[in-house]
Amino acid sequence: MPQTLYDKLWQNHVVHEEADGTALIYIDRHLVHEVTSPQAFEGLKLAGRKPWRVSSIVATADHNTPTDHWEEGIKDPISRQQVETLDANIREVGALAYWPFKDMRQGIVHVVGPENGATLPGMTVVCGDSHTSTHGAFACMAHGIGTSEVEHVMATQCLIQKKSKSMLIRVEGKLGKGVTGKDVALAIIGKIGTAGGTGYAIEFGGSAIRGLSMEGRMTLCNMAIEAGARMGFVAVDDTTINYLKDRPFSPKGETWDKAVAYWRTLKSDEGACFDCTVDLKAEEIQPQVTWGTSPEMVVPIGATVPDPAKEADPVKREGMERALQYMGLTPNLEIKKIAIDKVFIGSCTNSRIEDLREAAAVVRGRQKAANVKLALVVPGSGLVKRQAEAEGLDKIFVAAGFEWREPGCSMCLAMNADRLEPGERCASTSNRNFEGRQGPGGRTHLVSPAMAAAAGIAGHFADVRDIL
Amino acid sequence: MQAFTKLDGLVAPLDRNNVDTDAIIPKQFLKSIKRSGFGPNAFDEWRYMDHGEPGMDNSKRPLNPNFVLNQQRYQGASVLLTRSNFGCGSSREHAPWALLDYGFRVVIAESFADIFFNNCFKNGILPIVLPKAEIDALFGLTEYTPGFKLVVDLEQQKVVRPDGHAIPFEVDAFRRECLLNGWDDIGLTLRHADKIKAFEERRRAEQPWLFS
């Protein structure tokens, strides 16, 4: 019987299965960061348990780390304690790799895993972080877990799971100029809603997806969780394999050839059945901008802010009204007329080299608008930063009045000092526009890196296709 | 984990879709390296008039009178009634820790986000999905009946209203067993340690690149 990619990944990791379908799933890669791991390490210690396979662990500090003045260390004592707790835990327990604060390879956990070849096709990848779905770009079964499960994986190398339903999201055609993986992700969420993928594992397919780079695929899979799906993945092809060649933890020599032969089987078979299929036409996807406090509150750049009066469902209508009030917006306002205060280019969604190149292409030779108080560019890792500097991207940003920072999660969730002040409006390449996400009272509009750059130049949202 | 069998608890309503985990416990409180003490900061940004930071004396902070959970009639509630996609967003287990510490043992909703739903079971919280019509009725009853309580019976898998109307609910059999007994998942899994070892050895031979 033809199998889906998900069927294959699942089957390949079942250690034990009960009659009711509850299964023990083996975990190949365990990514660890400072926020969701301390209680797990402590739990392990209190129970007198040893980690099952330390060489599955790849760790880094990212959520709390500052993005400037590294020479001054972490000023917030509670943030510092959390990062130092990770240092101490890894020192005691060990790991395949640990990239601590200030290390050249330190960065956002979902950026450093793939760029070092620590994420390989066919793996199960987990992390106490919902954006672990990112790694699905490599045909991995990758998803976020809570801290109890972080401890469970450390102690047993397994998770107790039930198989999800499968969804195929097919995007056929060719994406237009200035339309990116981020716009595809937001357009999908706009179509199926933030709970549309709940209970499903999503496979992204179709010619437009195959046309995306690994960076674009990571952006797309990263946002699967914003569509409610714990995981989203893309089949292996030449793009995947070319990306992985010669990465530090990628296999070498004969093992590489053997691995590639296996990886090439990681795609859905012809005629495989999905529980649900959603189709989008690439040509119809335009640059997207969110207007509300949920990623599903999204429209194309040429549109206007929706009018709650036209919503029939009272709970939804009230939700829209509340969102508009929080966002300080009125119905029917043109998106292009919304002025912004800040720009944030970064996060596990959009901080890779391609994202920075796309933003720099818009910014090159232009100046940040006077009303934009701060435009922050935060590379996803030390390696991304170094690469961008080698290409001169940092100089382009700085010349335009943008700030070039050190790597980390930064203003995506504002656990460090980078944040919005109450009422400030931000064009952000991050993944969540929830109330207070980028700082209490802050107003987030999710966009692609190119669109964030365009807004930074114009001072309000603008169609990047008119600039390129 | 604290077992859950049956509860007769006061109901508090949170009439919103898409309540995300950033709202349940804002990020500044995630800096704690402990599992407990998050209750006073549950729904912090909605609950208080000022901006909360770790280490503040929460008993001295001004409460937002417009936030429903601050109403006197809902103090001591152990059942949270809400709408669809509750717990969406981040995988932070601090969200169920905060709800539990606040006093909630049951969350009743039209639907839940996957990771949050799973995290609840690891912490002795029972998340219950009910049909929209039942939820609508429960919101009405909660609003118009002072001291409205529900009996939540996990053994029988039903929610019983004071008027005797019983609403059955589904729960995964394995999760139900764990919750009823307060079992530790890790202990259960380690009963299969030999199987895990055998699986791992086979995997190491077949796909050695996963173990470098």
Side-chain angles (χ1 to χ4, degrees):
Chain A
M1 203 174 115
Q3 286 186 307
T4 63
L5 170 58
Y6 181 46
D7 292 332
K8 293 178 187 182
L9 292 171
W10 175 267
Q11 203 173 57
N12 198 251
H13 290 90
V14 175
V15 173
H16 172 80
E17 194 166 358
E18 301 286 347
D20 72 345
T22 303
L24 269 188
I25 294 295
Y26 187 81
I27 302 303
D28 297 309
R29 177 66 68 230
H30 190 182
L31 302 169
V32 171
H33 65 76
E34 78 276 17
V35 180
T36 53
S37 66
Q39 298 88 349
F41 280 111
E42 191 193 20
L44 207 63
K45 202 183 286 185
L46 287 175
R49 289 175 173 134
K50 290 261 175 282
W52 185 281
R53 185 163 70 83
V54 166
S55 67
S56 69
I57 297 175
V58 168
T60 192
D62 55 6
H63 284 62
N64 280 283
T65 54
T67 59
D68 58 357
H69 300 293
W70 270 14
E71 72 286 355
E72 294 172 17
I74 304 172
K75 283 181 226 159
D76 176 352
I78 321 177
S79 286
R80 190 170 64 237
Q81 184 195 29
Q82 200 164 52
V83 170
E84 286 171 355
T85 302
L86 179 64
D87 288 339
N89 282 327
I90 297 291
R91 208 162 38 233
E92 188 180 334
V93 166
L96 174 71
Y98 179 43
W99 298 302
F101 176 46
K102 294 187 184 179
D103 188 279
M104 188 189 85
R105 287 178 185 270
Q106 177 266 350
I108 305 172
V109 70
H110 308 308
V111 175
V112 299
E115 74 181 0
N116 285 288
T119 300
L120 295 172
M123 276 182 166
T124 39
V125 181
V126 297
C127 176
D129 192 292
S130 59
H131 290 109
T132 310
S133 58
T134 309
H135 307 264
F138 294 84
C140 291
M141 204 154 75
H143 60 87
I145 54 179
T147 299
S148 294
E149 289 192 321
V150 169
E151 185 180 338
H152 192 279
V153 172
M154 283 180 182
T156 70
Q157 212 57 42
C158 290
L159 276 179
I160 301 167
Q161 304 242 278
K162 261 196 170 168
K163 201 173 173 188
S164 304
K165 290 178 285 183
S166 62
M167 180 187 288
L168 174 64
I169 297 186
R170 227 171 0 201
V171 189
E172 295 289 358
K174 201 171 179 317
L175 293 173
K177 184 183 75 170
V179 180
T180 68
K182 181 63 162 287
D183 301 301
V184 176
L186 288 170
I188 288 169
I189 296 163
K191 188 178 169 94
I192 70 172
T194 47
T198 304
Y200 288 93
I202 297 177
E203 178 173 347
F204 297 103
S207 51
I209 306 300
R210 284 195 298 279
L212 288 175
S213 64
M214 286 316 291
E215 284 84 355
R217 294 177 190 183
M218 282 190 256
T219 301
L220 182 61
C221 291
N222 173 278
M223 299 278 289
I225 184 66
E226 264 39 84
R230 283 197 306 165
M231 51 187 150
F233 27 73
V234 176
V236 170
D237 61 10
D238 288 342
T239 306
T240 325
I241 288 164
N242 293 337
Y243 178 96
L244 287 168
K245 187 103 181 96
D246 299 324
R247 303 263 163 189
F249 289 106
S250 293
K252 310 282 183 309
E254 268 178 46
T255 316
W256 166 261
D257 297 336
K258 202 177 158 199
V260 168
Y262 170 66
W263 294 344
R264 292 219 181 260
T265 68
L266 296 174
K267 57 184 179 189
S268 290
D269 298 330
E270 198 71 44
C273 279
F274 291 84
D275 294 308
C276 169
T277 302
V278 176
D279 283 294
L280 281 87
K281 287 196 181 74
E283 288 78 7
E284 291 175 2
I285 300 175
Q286 298 174 50
Q288 306 280 308
V289 183
T290 65
W291 55 268
T293 53
S294 165
E296 70 187 11
M297 294 172 165
V298 63
V299 289
I301 176 66
T304 55
V305 173
D307 189 346
K310 292 178 185 150
E311 173 59 56
D313 179 337
V315 178
K316 272 194 191 153
R317 187 166 58 236
E318 213 175 293
M320 288 171 76
E321 284 164 353
R322 194 182 295 122
L324 288 181
Q325 193 187 7
Y326 181 86
M327 294 297 289
L329 294 173
T330 49
N332 306 313
L333 176 69
E334 280 177 54
I335 296 290
K336 288 182 194 166
K337 293 211 167 127
I338 301 174
I340 59 157
D341 303 301
K342 284 183 176 169
V343 172
F344 173 61
I345 297 172
S347 86
C348 59
T349 312
N350 280 130
S351 64
R352 297 177 182 84
I353 189 66
E354 182 183 278
D355 301 316
L356 302 186
R357 285 176 191 147
E358 282 169 3
V362 174
V363 163
R364 188 189 302 270
R366 298 190 170 95
Q367 277 300 315
K368 173 175 76 66
N371 61 304
V372 176
K373 291 181 245 178
L374 177 71
L376 214 53
V377 186
V378 183
S381 71
L383 293 186
V384 170
K385 181 168 189 254
R386 193 173 276 217
Q387 173 69 27
E389 287 171 354
E391 296 177 20
L393 305 185
D394 57 323
K395 294 200 174 62
I396 294 171
F397 286 120
V398 171
F402 285 47
E403 287 194 19
W404 180 247
R405 295 288 187 90
E406 302 291 346
C409 298
S410 181
M411 208 163 74
C412 172
L413 88 165
M415 262 186 95
N416 69 357
D418 308 334
R419 64 187 63 171
L420 297 181
E421 296 302 320
E424 280 184 343
R425 189 180 299 285
C426 183
S428 177
T429 68
S430 53
N431 39 57
R432 291 191 174 130
N433 50 353
F434 298 158
E435 286 183 26
R437 172 80 179 180
Q438 294 194 291
R443 294 161 172 167
T444 303
H445 295 264
L446 304 176
V447 287
S448 72
M451 284 288 286
I457 299 301
H460 52 81
F461 290 105
D463 192 334
V464 69
R465 295 172 298 185
D466 299 338
I467 298 171
L468 286 172
Chain B
M1 179 181 75
Q2 199 182 348
F4 183 100
T5 48
K6 194 173 175 180
L7 174 98
D8 184 1
L10 185 69
V11 182
L14 190 57
D15 197 357
R16 296 186 182 203
N17 288 330
N18 299 320
V19 173
D20 59 73
T21 52
D22 275 85
I24 298 172
I25 184 80
K27 83 281 270 153
Q28 61 269 33
F29 305 106
L30 271 49
K31 295 175 186 180
S32 166
I33 56 171
K34 300 285 167 215
R35 262 175 196 267
S36 54
F38 296 100
N41 300 110
F43 303 108
D44 199 275
E45 284 184 20
W46 293 343
R47 188 167 160 193
Y48 299 99
M49 299 299 284
D50 63 345
H51 171 68
E53 283 291 335
M56 288 169 81
D57 181 353
N58 294 297
S59 66
K60 298 214 169 80
R61 294 174 59 198
L63 292 171
N64 175 4
N66 296 321
F67 182 52
V68 63
L69 296 188
N70 285 338
Q71 292 179 28
Q72 192 52 43
R73 58 185 294 201
Y74 299 124
Q75 300 316 302
S78 54
V79 179
L80 182 65
L81 177 67
T82 184
R83 293 287 181 178
S84 67
N85 202 26
F86 187 81
C88 59
S90 151
S91 62
R92 60 187 69 163
E93 201 161 312
H94 312 67
W97 293 339
L99 294 177
L100 188 67
D101 203 44
Y102 185 95
F104 291 118
R105 294 299 309 278
V106 174
V107 184
I108 299 176
E110 287 169 37
S111 61
F112 291 91
D114 279 347
I115 302 176
F116 173 83
F117 187 75
N118 193 38
N119 283 340
C120 282
F121 285 99
K122 311 289 180 192
N123 291 284
I125 296 179
L126 175 61
I128 298 176
V129 177
L130 292 183
K132 186 172 185 313
E134 295 287 2
I135 299 260
D136 284 343
L138 288 175
F139 269 107
L141 286 165
T142 306
E143 187 175 349
Y144 295 110
T145 320
F148 182 75
K149 291 172 92 176
L150 285 170
V151 174
V152 178
D153 188 336
L154 178 57
E155 187 100 58
Q156 300 284 320
Q157 292 183 222
K158 60 185 183 186
V159 174
V160 187
R161 299 192 328 208
D163 61 6
H165 174 70
I167 314 162
F169 63 87
E170 295 288 323
V171 56
D172 178 86
F174 174 74
R175 285 170 160 158
R176 177 174 168 273
E177 278 302 295
C178 289
L179 210 47
L180 282 172
N181 295 292
W183 280 336
D184 163 23
D185 274 359
I186 296 177
L188 290 179
T189 297
L190 286 174
R191 291 182 311 176
H192 300 290
D194 289 344
K195 263 190 147 172
I196 302 171
K197 274 183 200 142
F199 179 93
E200 194 166 58
E201 283 319 303
R202 198 172 70 238
R203 198 162 180 75
R204 197 185 291 272
E206 288 170 2
Q207 298 184 33
W209 57 86
L210 295 175
F211 293 83
S212 55

